[in-house]
């Protein structure tokens, strides 16, 4: 089922970003697209409380901090979504599993002082140990909601040259199992992934894992 995104409000974005950052994004002429992606993230996270969901949104967000951004990111979609649910009282704890090739510095920066949200960037450059790292993290995860910052640039035919398409299905399966074990929800948001010949296949593999 495909749901159309609804743009995040300025107040929803301000929950994690400064007014000066919003002004800069407006000045760059990308505010509407970035707000639409952030709103789609809120929808995906909210739906993820009931059933696994994937936010196929861009621009991405995990390099966006409260007052700065880089790497094609403008607003931190994951942070906007999780902060919205925290503020609404719909969750008390959240876990972010960042599987992008690049370190999600923006998400770490935003939540560095927030004990309600734990962020883990998978750093292994070896296929087997990468999946093992995800499995270890999911085995000890007890959050109300697990969000995957789903970058696919670690694929063997992308910059990272590490994972196979079926590995994303396994990652999705591990995340869903961890969420179910704790009685929580799970969702994913699109981050990186630059080989468009295989990106769709990898996204679908992750969705299949989350839906298994």
């Amino acid at each position: 089922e495909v749901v159309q995104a609804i743009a995040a409000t300025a107040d929803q974005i301000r929950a994690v970003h400064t007014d000066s950052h919003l002004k800069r994004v407006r000045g760059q002429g990308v505010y509407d697209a970035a707000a639409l992606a952030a709103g789609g993230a809120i929808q995906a996270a909210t739906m993820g409380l009931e059933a696994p969901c994937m936010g196929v949104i861009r621009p991405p967000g995990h390099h966006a901090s409260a007052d700065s951004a880089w790497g094609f990111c403008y607003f931190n979609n994951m942070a906007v979504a999780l902060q919205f649910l925290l503020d609404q009282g719909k969750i008390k704890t959240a876990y972010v599993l960042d599987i992008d090739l690049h370190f999600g510095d923006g998400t770490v920066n935003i939540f560095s002082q927030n004990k309600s949200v734990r962020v883990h960037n998978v750093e292994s450059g070896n296929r087997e140990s990468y999946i093992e790292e995800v499995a270890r993290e999911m085995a000890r995860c007890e959050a109300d909601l697990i969000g995957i910052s789903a970058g696919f640039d670690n694929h063997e035919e992308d910059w990272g040259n590490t994972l196979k398409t079926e590995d994303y299905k396994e990652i999705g399966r591990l995340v869903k199992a961890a969420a179910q074990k704790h009685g929580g929800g799970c969702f994913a948001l699109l981050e990186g992934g630059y080989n468009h010949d295989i990106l769709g296949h990898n996204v679908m593999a992750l969705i299949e894992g989350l839906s298994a």
Side-chain angles (χ1 to χ4, degrees), residues 17-98:
H17 290 292
T18 63
D19 283 330
S20 60
H21 184 65
L22 269 70
K23 184 177 180 179
R24 275 195 300 273
V25 173
R26 287 188 188 278
Q28 292 172 340
V30 293
Y31 181 92
D32 289 346
L36 191 61
I42 290 174
Q43 290 169 270
T46 302
M47 288 186 279
L49 292 172
E50 302 298 328
C53 181
M54 172 87 192
V56 186
I57 55 175
R58 287 232 168 121
H62 74 155
H63 293 311
S65 297
D67 194 44
S68 64
W70 66 284
F72 310 113
C73 299
Y74 299 96
F75 298 140
N76 194 304
N77 304 318
M78 180 65 72
V80 170
L82 295 182
Q83 192 62 55
F84 173 79
L85 293 179
L86 288 165
D87 290 345
Q88 293 289 311
K90 294 183 178 180
I91 60 171
K92 293 183 178 179
T93 57
Y95 181 104
V96 179
L97 179 71
D98 195 321

Side-chain angles (χ1 to χ4, degrees), residues 15-208:
V16 298
H17 290 292
T18 63
D19 283 330
S20 60
H21 184 65
L22 269 70
K23 184 177 180 179
R24 275 195 300 273
V25 173
R26 287 188 188 278
Q28 292 172 340
V30 293
Y31 181 92
D32 289 346
L36 191 61
I42 290 174
Q43 290 169 270
T46 302
M47 288 186 279
L49 292 172
E50 302 298 328
C53 181
M54 172 87 192
V56 186
I57 55 175
R58 287 232 168 121
H62 74 155
H63 293 311
S65 297
D67 194 44
S68 64
W70 66 284
F72 310 113
C73 299
Y74 299 96
F75 298 140
N76 194 304
N77 304 318
M78 180 65 72
V80 170
L82 295 182
Q83 192 62 55
F84 173 79
L85 293 179
L86 288 165
D87 290 345
Q88 293 289 311
K90 294 183 178 180
I91 60 171
K92 293 183 178 179
T93 57
Y95 181 104
V96 179
L97 179 71
D98 195 321
I99 63 172
D100 194 277
L101 172 64
H102 306 99
F103 188 87
D105 55 311
T107 314
V108 171
N109 291 340
I110 288 172
F111 289 123
S112 61
Q113 303 300 317
N114 189 334
K115 295 182 179 180
S116 298
V117 182
R118 183 169 176 231
V119 182
H120 181 81
N121 285 264
V122 183
E123 297 183 348
S124 176
N126 172 274
R127 181 190 177 201
E128 183 177 345
S129 60
Y130 190 103
I131 300 300
E132 290 175 352
E133 183 177 341
V134 173
R136 283 196 305 272
E137 285 296 311
M138 291 300 95
R140 60 192 181 196
C141 178
E142 297 182 347
D144 295 331
L145 183 63
I146 304 172
I148 308 173
S149 276
F152 296 92
D153 40 2
N154 260 313
H155 189 265
E156 61 183 355
E157 295 181 41
D158 210 316
W159 293 351
N161 193 31
T162 300
L163 300 177
K164 295 184 178 295
T165 296
E166 58 263 33
D167 295 331
Y168 293 107
K169 184 173 182 179
E170 176 63 9
I171 291 170
R173 187 194 67 78
L174 288 167
V175 169
K176 182 182 180 182
Q180 287 182 324
K181 182 179 179 181
H182 189 64
C186 58
F187 71 105
L189 300 178
L190 181 60
E191 299 282 2
Y194 306 100
N195 182 345
H196 292 175
D197 291 336
I198 48 89
L199 179 58
H201 297 286
N202 294 334
V203 170
M204 184 56 69
L206 182 64
I207 292 172
E208 288 173 349

